[in-house]
Amino acid sequence: MCKTLVLAQNENLTIAQCCNCRVLNIWRAGVLMNFSFEQFKAFYHATKTLEFDNYLESRPDGKEVVILSTPLPDISLVFTRYEWREFFEKMEEANFMQKVYELVNR
Ligand SMILES: [Zn+2]
């Protein structure tokens, strides 16, 4: 059983990794996403400069959200403005901590 390392966390979101398997997990409200380190890096770089306001859509209840597609064509992630900011703050933090651990374990 591998020991996972938490890179970034708050009450809604946990980003953790396993260095043995080189796998990274994002836990978010009933959704668990698994990435290889390479996939995470690609996802991070592809999404980090996206502006919430440029991708606005309306949920059926009228709330403004942004929908982010995933590598699985029928599954998308939905973010409110608050969740979006929170998500990318934690992605930033996870990316930073991952680099720190990489240096420490070299
Ligand atoms: Zn593992």
Side-chain angles (χ1 to χ4, degrees), residues 50 52 66 68 79-88:
L50 298 180
F52 188 85
V66 165
L68 200 64
F79 297 86
T80 63
R81 187 178 297 274
Y82 175 80
E83 290 165 344
W84 182 263
R85 199 175 54 219
E86 172 184 69
F87 186 75
F88 288 103

Side-chain angles (χ1 to χ4, degrees), residues 20-52:
N20 292 337
C21 311
R22 296 184 64 77
V23 162
L24 192 142
N25 309 119
I26 301 178
W27 301 79
R28 177 184 178 261
V31 178
L32 171 60
M33 286 181 279
N34 303 309
F35 296 87
S36 70
F37 281 13
E38 291 68 28
Q39 287 170 326
F40 178 72
K41 208 162 282 179
F43 182 70
Y44 171 76
H45 287 291
T47 56
K48 69 173 180 173
T49 58
L50 298 180
E51 290 288 338
F52 188 85

